[in-house]
Amino acid sequence: MTDPTRYAFEYPEGKNSLSEDQSVLMDEVIDDPRAPAFDFTVVNDENAGIYEAILDDREIAGLPYDAAGDDRLVLLATSVFPKYRKQGIATELIRRVLDDVRAQGKTVTIMCPVVRAFIDHNPEYTDLVDPEHPGVAKGHR
């Protein structure tokens, strides 16, 4: 069982620990960054403000966001249906979302600690974090 107190992150409004669900995704991103077991498609639903991972016409994961002007996205929370966790889905979804953000010439504010951990362990994406509005600060126990 994953320990939700293993990680602690500093949000702009104060410290917070992760839920057990978030901790499972965090473990995947940090400890097991393998390629996903499934070949899925990522769709950006701009009207709903979510990047969706789609497998066989159903959503298996998502990363909702808010648009902050024309050049920045606030990444809110990575989620993966339990059946698909620990299979590289979260890692690959975050990678594809950040690649899309880069292709659009935008930056991100990170409110999702799972995305923060991904970037901490993949420094090639650090330049995408908006310097004036970075969001969650890194840190884990």
Side-chain angles (χ1 to χ4, degrees):
M1 178 180 219
T2 298
D3 177 11
T5 63
R6 178 178 174 196
Y7 311 103
F9 284 81
E10 186 78 29
Y11 286 86
E13 64 276 359
K15 288 188 178 185
N16 199 354
S17 292
L18 302 178
S19 70
E20 188 173 333
D21 288 343
Q22 289 172 315
S23 294
V24 169
L25 297 179
M26 186 73 70
D27 287 343
E28 174 189 315
V29 168
I30 292 173
D31 298 335
D32 191 16
R34 64 184 159 165
F38 304 97
D39 184 21
F40 62 91
T41 303
V42 174
V43 175
N44 180 5
D45 184 340
E46 293 181 32
N47 293 329
I50 186 169
Y51 282 91
E52 298 173 317
I54 307 294
L55 177 67
D56 298 330
D57 296 325
R58 71 178 173 268
E59 181 182 356
I60 61 170
L63 180 50
Y65 63 87
D66 287 329
D70 293 333
D71 62 349
R72 183 168 55 97
L73 297 181
V74 180
L75 302 179
L76 301 173
T78 305
S79 62
V80 178
F81 283 97
K83 177 180 176 179
Y84 298 98
R85 291 182 186 158
K86 298 182 181 181
Q87 299 181 60
I89 303 297
T91 303
E92 186 63 18
L93 173 62
I94 293 167
R95 182 182 323 282
R96 292 190 202 178
V97 167
L98 293 174
D99 287 345
D100 187 58
V101 168
R102 184 183 307 283
Q104 294 179 50
K106 295 182 179 183
T107 62
V108 296
T109 295
I110 305 166
M111 297 310 294
C112 174
V114 179
V115 174
R116 173 83 261 170
F118 175 88
I119 290 176
D120 290 347
H121 287 82
N122 295 275
E124 65 271 24
Y125 292 100
T126 303
D127 63 304
L128 295 176
V129 179
D130 190 284
E132 292 181 34
H133 307 281
V136 175
K138 65 181 173 180
H140 47 282
R141 298 177 187 177

